[in-house]
Amino acid sequence: MAELPLVATRIGSQGQGYFQLLLSCIEKLLAFLNVRRFILPSAVEAMSIWTEKFGFKEIPPDLLVSYKKTCWQLITFKGTCMLEKMVPKCRIIRHEETEAEAEAETETETETETESDAPDE
């Protein structure tokens, strides 16, 4: 579980996608670290943004009590709702694998060209 306790965007920068980009990077990092849940406190006024735009859901009270028992460092603020989102699985494409696949394709193409260039007997 990972928690993002505070988020704010300057008024002049709102609506330009900066936070969406940041959240996407954070989610990718969390996925790479095998974090399964992403939680945050939300002001009631901002809750619809988190749920409708970013896919978070309100944490039911009984589950929140369970989280607090296992993660005593969880930050909660008076007057906020706790939200959560499952972190998408990490998709890693290794550079070495990509190079190996490219080399194998090149070798196959070279063999095919060599066979077609050989004189008929």
Side-chain angles (χ1 to χ4, degrees), residues 12-80:
S13 299
Q14 290 178 350
Q16 297 181 27
Y18 294 126
F19 182 73
Q20 287 179 318
L21 182 60
L22 174 63
L23 185 64
S24 175
C25 291
I26 291 170
E27 285 181 347
K28 288 175 184 174
L29 175 62
L30 294 176
F32 180 76
L33 297 172
N34 293 319
V35 172
R36 292 182 291 173
R37 296 180 192 280
F38 189 17
I39 64 174
L40 55 87
S42 170
V44 175
E45 306 84 41
M47 195 169 143
S48 63
I49 294 170
W50 291 109
T51 57
E52 294 170 16
K53 193 169 186 175
F54 299 113
F56 283 82
K57 293 183 178 5
E58 188 170 2
I59 301 173
D62 56 329
L63 187 56
L64 185 57
V65 168
S66 173
Y67 285 172
K68 287 180 179 180
K69 286 179 183 176
T70 58
C71 184
W72 55 270
Q73 299 168 346
L74 189 63
I75 297 173
T76 55
F77 298 98
K78 197 177 234 183
T80 62

Side-chain angles (χ1 to χ4, degrees), residues 2-15:
E3 179 184 20
L4 181 66
L6 301 171
V7 175
T9 304
R10 290 186 338 181
I11 292 175
S13 299
Q14 290 178 350

